[in-house]
Amino acid sequence: MDLKTLYNQIITENSRSRRNRHPVEGATHTLEGVNPSCGDDITLQLRVVDGVVEDAGFTGNGCAISQASASLMIDDILGKPIEEARRLIGLFLGMVKGTVRPDEIDDLEDAAALQGIAHTPARTKCAVLAWHTLEEALSGKTES
């Protein structure tokens, strides 16, 4: 299986997965993110305890890329300190812009499957929606 096929499989599986699609009981952070150019929307919820992302989930609708990206992001941040989540946000956004080294992308685990999005600007907003929403939520710009 070539790399492109593997990445497509990861995106497809995660866009359909229900694993991270749920409200979070006792959420400390809740924020809605919307991509007005295509109608993607997510509501991201986090439960942060003692500076660690203890639980996270999202609800919403959108294209396969936005939904897969949200799910993959949650996989990456669960159990991590907020500072590590912020570092991963920076890596992901840098990956999409093409400004990070290939060895740094490994830290994104399966979310690295979205690196090809940089070559399709119309889909970039779909891929970064969840990550920008997380960034805003961690900055205190929340609805909770």
Side-chain angles (χ1 to χ4, degrees), residues 92-103:
F92 186 86
L93 297 177
M95 175 188 74
V96 170
K97 292 176 187 171
T99 60
V100 296
R101 294 186 324 265
D103 61 304

Side-chain angles (χ1 to χ4, degrees), residues 27-121:
T28 57
H29 299 71
T30 300
L31 190 65
E32 181 179 14
V34 177
N35 178 356
S37 63
C38 69
D40 294 340
D41 72 274
I42 65 162
T43 298
L44 177 66
Q45 292 189 309
L46 308 170
R47 185 173 60 239
V48 177
V49 178
D50 296 328
V52 174
V53 180
E54 187 176 88
D55 195 9
F58 78 100
T59 55
N61 298 294
C63 69
I65 293 193
S66 73
Q67 302 297 286
S69 186
S71 185
L72 290 163
M73 178 193 73
I74 289 171
D75 286 344
D76 277 357
I77 65 167
L78 276 175
K80 304 258 174 59
I82 289 174
E83 289 310 312
E84 176 64 4
R86 285 188 175 117
R87 186 182 77 80
L88 292 171
I89 292 166
L91 278 178
F92 186 86
L93 297 177
M95 175 188 74
V96 170
K97 292 176 187 171
T99 60
V100 296
R101 294 186 324 265
D103 61 304
E104 293 175 300
I105 293 173
D106 291 343
D107 289 351
L108 292 170
E109 300 178 19
D110 282 350
L114 292 162
Q115 67 184 310
I117 294 301
H119 305 295
T120 54

